[in-house]
Amino acid sequence: MATGFELKASVRNRVGKGAARALRREGLIPAVIYGDKKAALPITIPVKETTLALHKGGFLTHIATIDVDGEKHQVIAKDYQLHPVSDQVVHVDFLRVSADAKLTVEIPVHFLNQETSPGLKQGGVLNVVRHTVEMIVPATAIPEFIEVDLGKAKIGDSLHISAVKVPAGCHPTITDRDFTIATIAAPAGGVTEEAAG
């Protein structure tokens, strides 16, 4: 299960662009906690800790604890905005999570055994169709990633979601077809230098 991060927060009394700019000058980011049939809660979170959590990876797939003036909220980040020039985080939306909740989350795909794949050894190229798969998952057991085994994949093979061992309680949002995650294609023009990439 994805281990989360914790952020200290304060209730945000002022809203609007001017207030948001003033907060950012103080090293704080405006954010909001919503969902679970409760009123939206405008908060401020620290820029430094939030940026570290974002760059650590899994920001949108890990359950986080937001400590708002001593009251702890279990949340998942649903969206964040970056400044178009500086790439600083300027706003975050958090969704409250209850223990029995189901969430729709983009789960990263990891590829195993690329070095032993017959297709890649022969100069085939791994074409990744989906780097993530949108899945409905239990809030308390969000998988870090799903794995696709390339150990037996040959040139011309397509690897579908049906070949993936999906964690218990999780299922893809696409249910009407066996969608492709990746293919092993023949090398274009016989180029083999970047075959494994």
Side-chain angles (χ1 to χ4, degrees):
M1 180 186 147
T3 53
F5 53 93
E6 185 164 342
L7 293 173
K8 294 257 187 226
S10 298
V11 173
R12 176 167 46 112
N13 298 317
R14 300 171 300 156
V15 292
K17 278 188 177 174
R21 275 195 207 101
L23 287 171
R24 290 187 196 106
R25 281 194 295 271
E26 295 168 27
L28 298 168
I29 302 168
V32 66
I33 298 174
Y34 66 93
D36 202 22
K37 299 182 179 75
K38 294 177 187 162
L41 177 63
I43 58 170
T44 61
I45 50 179
V47 169
K48 185 179 175 190
E49 288 83 348
T50 306
T51 304
L52 286 171
L54 177 66
H55 292 301
K56 201 170 84 173
F59 190 69
L60 297 174
T61 57
H62 291 185
I63 298 287
T65 303
I66 306 288
D67 184 339
V68 184
D69 301 322
E71 185 186 347
K72 298 197 177 206
H73 299 262
Q74 295 292 104
V75 298
I76 187 163
K78 287 306 281 181
D79 193 20
Y80 61 89
Q81 287 84 46
L82 299 176
H83 188 279
V85 177
S86 68
D87 264 356
Q88 285 273 358
V89 182
V90 293
H91 190 271
V92 184
D93 291 337
F94 292 105
L95 177 67
R96 285 185 191 95
V97 174
S98 58
D100 58 348
K102 293 270 191 185
L103 302 173
T104 301
V105 181
E106 293 280 339
I107 304 296
V109 177
H110 288 188
F111 295 94
L112 304 176
N113 301 317
Q114 292 186 49
E115 63 286 342
T116 60
S117 165
L120 296 179
K121 279 179 159 178
Q122 293 170 346
V125 179
L126 175 63
N127 285 334
V128 179
V129 177
R130 293 175 186 270
H131 291 278
T132 62
V133 174
E134 188 177 72
M135 301 188 81
I136 297 168
V137 300
T140 54
I142 301 171
E144 291 273 340
F145 51 82
I146 57 173
E147 296 177 327
V148 176
D149 189 351
L150 302 174
K152 296 182 178 148
K154 299 184 281 300
I155 289 177
D157 283 358
S158 288
L159 302 138
H160 297 94
I161 190 66
S162 60
V164 176
K165 186 173 184 275
V166 176
C170 305
H171 60 273
T173 56
I174 299 172
T175 56
D176 60 339
R177 64 187 186 280
D178 190 14
F179 57 87
T180 303
I181 294 177
T183 62
I184 306 286
V191 177
T192 57
E193 280 78 41
E194 59 244 6

